[in-house]
Amino acid sequence: GSDRPDARSTPVDSYFLQTLREICGHMCDMDGVDADPMALYGGLLLRLSRSVSERDALEVVTRWCCGKGELVALPLKRRHHHNTDNYHRDPSSASASTSTANGSKLAVPIDLELYVESGNVHAKVTMAHELGVYRRTDLEAHGLKRELSAWVALVLVSQTPSDQVSAAKKLDKMQYEMLASNKFTHPKPWIFMDVDVVERINFGTGSSVRMLHLSVPEDKNSGYVKKWDY
């Protein structure tokens, strides 16, 4: 209609969110569907936080792939990492170009599927994250020795169930501080990892399942390809 925003002049995030609200309204108006459109919209927004999903994925990879602290897992630096506000206010960007003026690529777009089955609205949200595993000594050689001074101790503590939560928070803080540091000048990871966080939700029953799929992509790494599901 005439009140629809102009895609050429409206910010991607605003256009995406308005479109998502409209889709939620249309789905709840379908025959046999008993759902509140704003509750559906709110439930989706809770699951469209790129920063929360990325931090959750990073925590799992850090716990399982960093050995006794010899390795460091970090996100590959993308546009949203240059704006520290995004750690508190997450964009749910649908799509955009692949690069920005500062030379950093945009993150992989969020993939959202919505459908109705047996009168219930279902969703599948896939967040694709690009991570790198670095040798700790390589990052120290890049001038990050002070920032990594507590890394080994925290990684070891994080493997103790009783201390896992507190150690994970401290590791998370260290990881994003390193990423924001001027000393972090896009060093090449030892291993590139693609990590997908996939959540399936049944909004009718309130049930959901969340999975993490990790792969070492052949086009980014030489030698071998290995896949894990967690």
Side-chain angles (χ1 to χ4, degrees):
S2 59
D3 60 341
R4 191 174 185 82
D6 185 343
R8 294 170 297 179
S9 60
T10 305
V12 172
D13 296 349
S14 299
Y15 184 66
F16 170 73
L17 294 177
Q18 177 158 338
T19 302
L20 182 62
R21 281 197 297 270
E22 292 177 4
I23 291 171
C24 289
H26 292 320
M27 296 199 77
C28 292
D29 285 340
M30 293 175 66
D31 290 342
V33 175
D34 182 17
D36 177 74
M38 289 310 296
L40 175 60
Y41 176 69
L44 285 170
L45 285 187
L46 289 174
R47 293 164 169 90
L48 290 176
S49 171
R50 188 185 301 281
S51 58
V52 170
S53 175
E54 181 181 90
R55 287 173 184 268
D56 289 347
L58 189 60
E59 180 182 341
V60 173
V61 171
T62 299
R63 189 184 311 148
W64 293 104
C65 299
C66 289
K68 295 183 178 179
E70 307 95 333
L71 302 176
V72 179
L74 294 171
L76 299 190
K77 204 162 190 177
R78 295 296 181 246
R79 185 188 71 165
H80 61 287
H81 296 125
H82 289 277
N83 182 359
T84 54
D85 287 344
N86 284 333
Y87 300 146
H88 308 288
R89 177 193 58 78
D90 183 79
S92 298
S93 178
S95 63
S97 61
T98 57
S99 62
T100 64
N102 62 23
S104 291
K105 294 180 180 179
L106 291 175
V108 179
I110 297 167
D111 186 77
L112 173 62
E113 298 177 30
L114 284 169
Y115 59 96
V116 172
E117 186 176 275
S118 302
N120 293 326
V121 179
H122 295 251
K124 178 186 176 185
V125 181
T126 302
M127 296 272 194
H129 305 291
E130 298 170 286
L131 306 183
V133 175
Y134 302 81
R135 294 184 181 95
R136 190 189 74 251
T137 52
D138 289 346
L139 293 178
E140 289 173 343
H142 271 77
L144 292 163
K145 190 168 185 177
R146 181 182 61 81
E147 289 82 351
L148 285 163
S149 59
W151 180 262
V152 173
L154 283 172
V155 168
L156 293 175
V157 170
S158 72
Q159 295 169 1
T160 305
S162 59
D163 298 315
Q164 223 169 60
V165 174
S166 61
K169 288 180 180 178
K170 293 175 183 176
L171 286 168
D172 176 273
K173 186 172 184 290
M174 287 178 65
Q175 286 162 310
Y176 282 96
E177 284 179 351
M178 277 189 282
L179 202 65
S181 171
N182 291 331
K183 301 173 188 176
F184 192 85
T185 54
H186 297 278
K188 184 178 179 180
W190 183 46
I191 300 172
F192 289 89
M193 289 184 173
D194 286 345
V195 181
D196 290 347
V197 178
V198 182
E199 185 169 9
R200 294 179 179 273
I201 314 106
N202 181 333
F203 286 100
T205 64
S207 61
S208 65
V209 60
R210 199 164 180 237
M211 299 169 288
L212 184 147
H213 304 284
L214 186 154
S215 66
V216 179
E218 188 172 15
D219 60 334
K220 298 177 185 176
N221 298 277
S222 60
Y224 66 93
V225 177
K226 199 171 182 65
K227 293 185 178 181
W228 298 269
D229 287 342
Y230 175 81

PDB file of all heavy atoms in Angstrom, residues 97-112:
ATOM      1  N   SER A  97      25.166  -5.247   1.272  1.00  0.00           N
ATOM      2  CA  SER A  97      26.332  -5.551   0.453  1.00  0.00           C
ATOM      3  C   SER A  97      27.370  -6.283   1.280  1.00  0.00           C
ATOM      4  O   SER A  97      27.261  -6.383   2.493  1.00  0.00           O
ATOM      5  CB  SER A  97      26.925  -4.257  -0.090  1.00  0.00           C
ATOM      6  OG  SER A  97      27.340  -3.432   0.976  1.00  0.00           O
ATOM      7  N   THR A  98      28.421  -6.775   0.642  1.00  0.00           N
ATOM      8  CA  THR A  98      29.382  -7.636   1.329  1.00  0.00           C
ATOM      9  C   THR A  98      30.538  -6.887   1.941  1.00  0.00           C
ATOM     10  O   THR A  98      31.369  -7.477   2.597  1.00  0.00           O
ATOM     11  CB  THR A  98      29.944  -8.682   0.356  1.00  0.00           C
ATOM     12  OG1 THR A  98      30.544  -8.002  -0.754  1.00  0.00           O
ATOM     13  CG2 THR A  98      28.852  -9.605  -0.133  1.00  0.00           C
ATOM     14  N   SER A  99      30.636  -5.577   1.739  1.00  0.00           N
ATOM     15  CA  SER A  99      31.748  -4.845   2.324  1.00  0.00           C
ATOM     16  C   SER A  99      31.317  -3.446   2.719  1.00  0.00           C
ATOM     17  O   SER A  99      30.267  -2.958   2.328  1.00  0.00           O
ATOM     18  CB  SER A  99      32.921  -4.769   1.343  1.00  0.00           C
ATOM     19  OG  SER A  99      32.522  -4.071   0.183  1.00  0.00           O
ATOM     20  N   THR A 100      32.146  -2.779   3.523  1.00  0.00           N
ATOM     21  CA  THR A 100      31.844  -1.443   4.002  1.00  0.00           C
ATOM     22  C   THR A 100      33.047  -0.562   3.758  1.00  0.00           C
ATOM     23  O   THR A 100      34.104  -1.004   3.354  1.00  0.00           O
ATOM     24  CB  THR A 100      31.523  -1.469   5.512  1.00  0.00           C
ATOM     25  OG1 THR A 100      32.693  -1.885   6.203  1.00  0.00           O
ATOM     26  CG2 THR A 100      30.394  -2.412   5.820  1.00  0.00           C
ATOM     27  N   ALA A 101      32.855   0.716   4.077  1.00  0.00           N
ATOM     28  CA  ALA A 101      33.912   1.681   3.825  1.00  0.00           C
ATOM     29  C   ALA A 101      35.163   1.381   4.623  1.00  0.00           C
ATOM     30  O   ALA A 101      36.268   1.672   4.196  1.00  0.00           O
ATOM     31  CB  ALA A 101      33.402   3.086   4.146  1.00  0.00           C
ATOM     32  N   ASN A 102      35.011   0.797   5.826  1.00  0.00           N
ATOM     33  CA  ASN A 102      36.196   0.523   6.639  1.00  0.00           C
ATOM     34  C   ASN A 102      36.875  -0.789   6.249  1.00  0.00           C
ATOM     35  O   ASN A 102      37.836  -1.204   6.887  1.00  0.00           O
ATOM     36  CB  ASN A 102      35.838   0.525   8.134  1.00  0.00           C
ATOM     37  CG  ASN A 102      34.836  -0.555   8.497  1.00  0.00           C
ATOM     38  OD1 ASN A 102      34.709  -1.551   7.784  1.00  0.00           O
ATOM     39  ND2 ASN A 102      34.133  -0.369   9.605  1.00  0.00           N
ATOM     40  N   GLY A 103      36.390  -1.427   5.218  1.00  0.00           N
ATOM     41  CA  GLY A 103      37.056  -2.622   4.712  1.00  0.00           C
ATOM     42  C   GLY A 103      36.580  -3.919   5.317  1.00  0.00           C
ATOM     43  O   GLY A 103      37.001  -4.987   4.879  1.00  0.00           O
ATOM     44  N   SER A 104      35.712  -3.870   6.316  1.00  0.00           N
ATOM     45  CA  SER A 104      35.222  -5.098   6.942  1.00  0.00           C
ATOM     46  C   SER A 104      33.964  -5.585   6.238  1.00  0.00           C
ATOM     47  O   SER A 104      33.098  -4.793   5.872  1.00  0.00           O
ATOM     48  CB  SER A 104      34.916  -4.858   8.422  1.00  0.00           C
ATOM     49  OG  SER A 104      36.105  -4.638   9.140  1.00  0.00           O
ATOM     50  N   LYS A 105      33.872  -6.878   6.074  1.00  0.00           N
ATOM     51  CA  LYS A 105      32.682  -7.459   5.464  1.00  0.00           C
ATOM     52  C   LYS A 105      31.516  -7.399   6.432  1.00  0.00           C
ATOM     53  O   LYS A 105      31.698  -7.327   7.651  1.00  0.00           O
ATOM     54  CB  LYS A 105      32.943  -8.915   5.093  1.00  0.00           C
ATOM     55  CG  LYS A 105      33.973  -9.119   3.997  1.00  0.00           C
ATOM     56  CD  LYS A 105      34.139 -10.610   3.730  1.00  0.00           C
ATOM     57  CE  LYS A 105      35.162 -10.862   2.640  1.00  0.00           C
ATOM     58  NZ  LYS A 105      35.338 -12.318   2.395  1.00  0.00           N
ATOM     59  N   LEU A 106      30.323  -7.467   5.886  1.00  0.00           N
ATOM     60  CA  LEU A 106      29.143  -7.632   6.723  1.00  0.00           C
ATOM     61  C   LEU A 106      29.043  -9.090   7.149  1.00  0.00           C
ATOM     62  O   LEU A 106      29.557  -9.985   6.480  1.00  0.00           O
ATOM     63  CB  LEU A 106      27.886  -7.243   5.946  1.00  0.00           C
ATOM     64  CG  LEU A 106      27.735  -5.757   5.615  1.00  0.00           C
ATOM     65  CD1 LEU A 106      26.514  -5.547   4.739  1.00  0.00           C
ATOM     66  CD2 LEU A 106      27.617  -4.934   6.875  1.00  0.00           C
ATOM     67  N   ALA A 107      28.381  -9.302   8.259  1.00  0.00           N
ATOM     68  CA  ALA A 107      28.156 -10.670   8.719  1.00  0.00           C
ATOM     69  C   ALA A 107      27.230 -11.396   7.742  1.00  0.00           C
ATOM     70  O   ALA A 107      26.496 -10.772   6.971  1.00  0.00           O
ATOM     71  CB  ALA A 107      27.542 -10.653  10.113  1.00  0.00           C
ATOM     72  N   VAL A 108      27.276 -12.717   7.775  1.00  0.00           N
ATOM     73  CA  VAL A 108      26.375 -13.518   6.942  1.00  0.00           C
ATOM     74  C   VAL A 108      24.931 -13.211   7.358  1.00  0.00           C
ATOM     75  O   VAL A 108      24.619 -13.190   8.549  1.00  0.00           O
ATOM     76  CB  VAL A 108      26.668 -15.024   7.123  1.00  0.00           C
ATOM     77  CG1 VAL A 108      25.717 -15.858   6.278  1.00  0.00           C
ATOM     78  CG2 VAL A 108      28.121 -15.324   6.767  1.00  0.00           C
ATOM     79  N   PRO A 109      24.025 -12.951   6.409  1.00  0.00           N
ATOM     80  CA  PRO A 109      22.638 -12.621   6.772  1.00  0.00           C
ATOM     81  C   PRO A 109      21.968 -13.718   7.595  1.00  0.00           C
ATOM     82  O   PRO A 109      22.272 -14.895   7.460  1.00  0.00           O
ATOM     83  CB  PRO A 109      21.945 -12.463   5.412  1.00  0.00           C
ATOM     84  CG  PRO A 109      23.040 -12.132   4.460  1.00  0.00           C
ATOM     85  CD  PRO A 109      24.237 -12.891   4.949  1.00  0.00           C
ATOM     86  N   ILE A 110      21.056 -13.293   8.452  1.00  0.00           N
ATOM     87  CA  ILE A 110      20.256 -14.230   9.238  1.00  0.00           C
ATOM     88  C   ILE A 110      19.262 -14.924   8.318  1.00  0.00           C
ATOM     89  O   ILE A 110      18.649 -14.298   7.458  1.00  0.00           O
ATOM     90  CB  ILE A 110      19.498 -13.474  10.354  1.00  0.00           C
ATOM     91  CG1 ILE A 110      20.477 -12.823  11.324  1.00  0.00           C
ATOM     92  CG2 ILE A 110      18.531 -14.409  11.085  1.00  0.00           C
ATOM     93  CD1 ILE A 110      19.826 -11.819  12.263  1.00  0.00           C
ATOM     94  N   ASP A 111      19.094 -16.226   8.511  1.00  0.00           N
ATOM     95  CA  ASP A 111      18.126 -16.991   7.728  1.00  0.00           C
ATOM     96  C   ASP A 111      16.929 -17.319   8.626  1.00  0.00           C
ATOM     97  O   ASP A 111      17.084 -17.986   9.654  1.00  0.00           O
ATOM     98  CB  ASP A 111      18.761 -18.288   7.204  1.00  0.00           C
ATOM     99  CG  ASP A 111      17.819 -19.029   6.268  1.00  0.00           C
ATOM    100  OD1 ASP A 111      17.690 -18.603   5.116  1.00  0.00           O
ATOM    101  OD2 ASP A 111      17.215 -20.021   6.708  1.00  0.00           O
ATOM    102  N   LEU A 112      15.757 -16.833   8.246  1.00  0.00           N
ATOM    103  CA  LEU A 112      14.546 -17.033   9.046  1.00  0.00           C
ATOM    104  C   LEU A 112      13.475 -17.694   8.199  1.00  0.00           C
ATOM    105  O   LEU A 112      13.106 -17.189   7.142  1.00  0.00           O
ATOM    106  CB  LEU A 112      14.038 -15.684   9.572  1.00  0.00           C
ATOM    107  CG  LEU A 112      12.675 -15.687  10.285  1.00  0.00           C
ATOM    108  CD1 LEU A 112      12.704 -16.563  11.528  1.00  0.00           C
ATOM    109  CD2 LEU A 112      12.258 -14.255  10.621  1.00  0.00           C
TER     110      LEU A 112
END
